[in-house]
Amino acid sequence: MVLDIRPAGEGDNAAVARVFVDAWRSTFIGLLSADFLDNMSHAKQEQRHHRVFSAPTTSYYVATVDGVTVGFASGGPTRRPEFPQENELYAIYILPAFQHQNIGSILFRHVVSDLQRSGRKGLIAVALGLNPNRSFFERLGGLPSAAGPTTLGSATLDQIAYLWKDIASLTLEVVRVSADAHWDAYHAIRRQVLFEDRGLTGYDEHHPDDHRDGHFPFLLLQGNLPVGAARLDLKANSKGVVRTVAIKAAFQRKGLGRVLMKRLEAFAAQHGVIGLEVNAAPDAVTFYEKLGWTMINGSKNNPLMIKGLPALDLPDDLGRS
């Protein structure tokens, strides 16, 4: 199973509509009338999402597993002037079989990272009061507030608004390590995760490999908080080597490693790399397999894995998550 999260395109509208309708029918069975759910139309939702997607201020992301769309999220300027928050999460839906795998939280943070760059502060997300999944927003720090009723079919239903005063702390960003504070965080994360948490000693924060030409250290930031680190070494023959990927223990199994690796792969492709390799820690093999890496030599203490990269037309900066 290979998971990918990427910006949506016009060609994703049909798949997004399918996810929306199927997720609604699964989530609200027994909570909304069967007639209302049965009458939901993939075609109408495709038209609706096309209108939203075509707005230049809208941020849209899809999650795919083995190329099949399993979730999406969208957001943009608020449509709710009764609240002071300037941004709104328009929608976020994951097919039931793929829920509780951190896909939703990473989609959420991708959209929020786009919105934060607009300069607008604050975020609102509105959910039906009877939605059993609305605790998702509470886990991300949203504060609940009454949002007034809405009418669906013949039913009038309460809504709850989840509010964030400032979304800066929700964003994800991958940056090249250059400032002294980032170097300190880079070494602290690698020392803790790769050495101390494994009962090892001898980490060398002055190792020359971190500063060689063609070696690029990166730091993953959640808001202003450093949570992950990695290095990419560019080699001859269009090859790249991923080194020392580390995510702080409190932030592991939240999908953040995928974000860090996605940006490293984009950077590598921009520099002409067509193939990556990594000597993976044994407990990280499954992580790499889910990202599309292939085992080449599993007999080593740190198994050798590789991944081919397509040509990517992306900006040569990592200011986007």
Side-chain angles (χ1 to χ4, degrees):
M1 183 183 81
V2 178
L3 170 66
D4 187 28
I5 293 177
R6 58 172 174 78
E10 287 282 357
D12 292 307
N13 285 330
V16 164
R18 175 184 59 82
V19 169
F20 180 89
V21 172
D22 292 355
W24 263 73
R25 287 174 174 168
S26 174
T27 300
F28 295 108
I29 186 170
L31 299 173
L32 298 176
S33 73
D35 287 344
F36 176 82
L37 295 175
D38 290 343
N39 287 331
M40 294 185 74
S41 164
H42 289 88
K44 288 182 180 179
Q45 287 301 322
E46 184 174 353
Q47 293 174 358
R48 173 175 174 267
H49 285 279
H50 172 74
R51 290 194 301 272
V52 176
F53 177 79
S54 61
T57 54
T58 298
S59 174
Y60 237 108
Y61 283 85
V62 294
T64 65
V65 171
D66 297 335
V68 177
T69 300
V70 301
F72 76 94
S74 63
T78 185
R79 304 167 298 185
R80 300 177 182 274
E82 67 272 27
F83 289 92
Q85 283 71 19
E86 299 173 289
N87 299 289
E88 182 179 351
L89 184 75
Y90 299 151
I92 184 165
Y93 292 98
I94 312 295
L95 292 178
F98 298 92
Q99 294 175 5
H100 311 295
Q101 298 179 36
N102 296 309
I103 296 174
S105 62
I106 296 301
L107 281 169
F108 175 87
R109 292 185 189 277
H110 274 70
V111 170
V112 168
S113 296
D114 279 357
L115 300 182
Q116 197 269 343
R117 282 185 285 274
S118 72
R120 299 183 301 266
K121 290 185 177 181
L123 178 72
I124 181 173
V126 177
L128 293 177
L130 52 70
N131 187 337
N133 297 323
R134 59 185 175 84
S135 60
F136 167 81
F137 299 117
E138 296 174 7
R139 292 195 298 272
L140 289 166
L143 299 178
S145 177
T150 188
T151 301
L152 297 178
S154 60
T156 299
L157 303 168
D158 290 332
Q159 297 181 108
I160 297 177
Y162 289 91
L163 309 175
W164 293 261
K165 184 177 181 180
D166 188 346
I167 59 176
S169 64
L170 300 171
T171 62
L172 292 175
E173 185 179 16
V174 179
V175 299
R176 290 265 302 277
V177 176
S178 58
D180 288 345
H182 284 173
W183 275 113
D184 291 343
Y186 172 80
H187 289 305
I189 290 171
R190 297 202 305 170
R191 180 188 298 108
Q192 182 68 52
V193 175
L194 302 177
F195 280 74
E196 295 174 2
D197 288 352
R198 295 175 177 177
L200 303 175
T201 60
Y203 179 79
D204 181 6
E205 67 180 52
H206 302 292
H207 199 289
D209 277 358
D210 283 329
H211 301 276
R212 296 188 192 279
D213 289 343
H215 291 192
F216 298 93
F218 292 96
L219 197 63
L220 173 64
L221 305 176
Q222 181 172 299
N224 293 320
L225 179 66
V227 298
R231 197 180 80 220
L232 174 68
D233 297 352
L234 302 184
K235 302 296 185 181
N237 301 320
S238 302
K239 290 177 57 179
V241 181
V242 174
R243 306 282 192 189
T244 57
V245 178
I247 304 293
K248 284 184 176 179
F251 296 89
Q252 292 175 9
R253 294 177 174 83
K254 298 181 183 295
L256 300 183
R258 296 188 188 108
V259 175
L260 180 56
M261 289 301 302
K262 182 78 171 179
R263 302 313 300 159
L264 260 65
E265 291 177 15
F267 183 88
Q270 281 292 322
H271 286 77
V273 172
I274 59 174
L276 290 172
E277 65 180 47
V278 65
N279 290 108
D283 58 359
V285 168
T286 300
F287 164 76
Y288 286 105
E289 289 176 338
K290 290 180 178 179
L291 293 175
W293 290 68
T294 301
M295 178 75 71
I296 295 299
N297 184 351
S299 64
K300 303 175 66 175
N301 289 336
N302 294 101
L304 176 63
M305 305 183 74
I306 63 170
K307 182 175 183 179
L309 296 181
L312 296 179
D313 183 19
L314 293 173
D316 190 18
D317 67 37
L318 296 192
R320 296 190 61 184
S321 60

